[in-house]
């Protein structure tokens, strides 16, 4: 079994549906191990540290004095599957960092922040006397920001696929 076969797209889609609110690093490691993939907690942390995966968000647990847990967006499962596939094809972590994978990860982080910001501002706009004006302006700003992200994705995809030697690095 090669790395591309560890998790099928339908299996990844199922995990994404079931864990839409987030997934812990331990759950991700166990998922890949259950499919025969080598993925340790330290490798997962390394992927986060080098920017191949996003950082977790801390979420409090119910109950007194139970602390918090780190949840990752469930998209990390798809990202790790892609990383594993690229590594099986001979790419190094540095190659992958310089590829479009890193650009896409950063864009996803920006998209998430944009969505959160728009939701917060929408809530405040609903309570404002000039509600309609603010909602229209916010809607226009969100469309423009998403359009800019699409342009960045196109440019990022194009420049990230140019080999370093050809780019003059």
């Amino acid at each position: 079994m090669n790395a591309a076969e560890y998790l099928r797209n339908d299996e990844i889609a199922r995990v994404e549906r079931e864990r839409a609110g987030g997934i812990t690093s331990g759950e991700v490691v166990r998922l890949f191990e259950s499919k025969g993939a080598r993925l340790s907690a330290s490798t997962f942390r390394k992927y986060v540290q080098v920017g191949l995966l996003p950082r977790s968000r801390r979420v409090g647990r119910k109950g007194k004095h139970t602390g918090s847990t780190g949840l990752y967006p469930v998209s990390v499962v798809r990202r790790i599957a892609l990383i594993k596939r690229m590594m099986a094809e001979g790419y190094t972590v540095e190659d992958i960092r310089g590829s479009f994978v890193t650009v896409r990860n950063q864009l996803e982080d920006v998209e998430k922040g944009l969505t959160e910001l728009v939701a917060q501002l929408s809530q405040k706009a609903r309570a404002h006397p000039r509600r309609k004006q603010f909602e229209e302006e916010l809607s226009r700003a969100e469309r423009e920001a998403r359009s800019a992200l699409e342009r960045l994705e196109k440019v990022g995809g194009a420049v990230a696929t140019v080999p370093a030697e050809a780019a003059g690095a």
Side-chain angles (χ1 to χ4, degrees), residues 120-148:
Q120 291 170 2
L121 293 175
S122 291
Q123 183 178 5
K124 290 180 180 185
R126 283 192 293 272
H128 198 279
R130 296 184 357 223
R131 172 185 177 174
K132 186 168 174 62
Q133 175 189 355
F134 287 135
E135 286 177 336
E136 288 172 2
E137 181 62 27
L138 184 58
S139 178
R140 184 169 49 252
E142 181 181 15
R143 279 192 311 276
E144 291 171 3
R146 293 202 184 277
S147 175

Side-chain angles (χ1 to χ4, degrees), residues 83-96:
I83 292 165
K84 290 284 190 192
R85 201 166 33 253
M86 290 178 79
M87 291 181 100
E89 292 171 7
Y91 290 95
T92 66
V93 170
E94 280 306 310
D95 293 335
I96 297 169

Side-chain angles (χ1 to χ4, degrees), residues 42-155:
S42 61
T43 300
F44 187 96
R45 283 191 305 274
K46 177 183 177 183
Y47 291 168
V48 172
Q49 289 169 349
V50 300
L52 295 178
L53 298 176
R55 298 208 177 274
S56 67
R57 64 182 165 84
R58 301 305 297 176
V59 177
R61 291 187 241 168
K62 290 185 179 179
K64 197 171 188 175
H65 308 297
T66 56
S68 64
T69 190
L71 284 183
Y72 292 85
V74 74
S75 63
V76 299
V77 174
R78 193 171 295 277
R79 289 182 189 184
I80 292 171
L82 175 59
I83 292 165
K84 290 284 190 192
R85 201 166 33 253
M86 290 178 79
M87 291 181 100
E89 292 171 7
Y91 290 95
T92 66
V93 170
E94 280 306 310
D95 293 335
I96 297 169
R97 273 189 74 203
S99 75
F100 184 64
V101 172
T102 302
V103 172
R104 184 66 214 139
N105 291 347
Q106 291 171 327
L107 286 169
E108 283 181 13
D109 292 343
V110 172
E111 286 176 299
K112 180 181 175 206
L114 174 64
T115 299
E116 291 171 358
L117 176 61
V118 168
Q120 291 170 2
L121 293 175
S122 291
Q123 183 178 5
K124 290 180 180 185
R126 283 192 293 272
H128 198 279
R130 296 184 357 223
R131 172 185 177 174
K132 186 168 174 62
Q133 175 189 355
F134 287 135
E135 286 177 336
E136 288 172 2
E137 181 62 27
L138 184 58
S139 178
R140 184 169 49 252
E142 181 181 15
R143 279 192 311 276
E144 291 171 3
R146 293 202 184 277
S147 175
L149 286 173
E150 288 173 17
R151 290 192 311 270
L152 286 169
E153 183 170 17
K154 286 178 187 174
V155 171

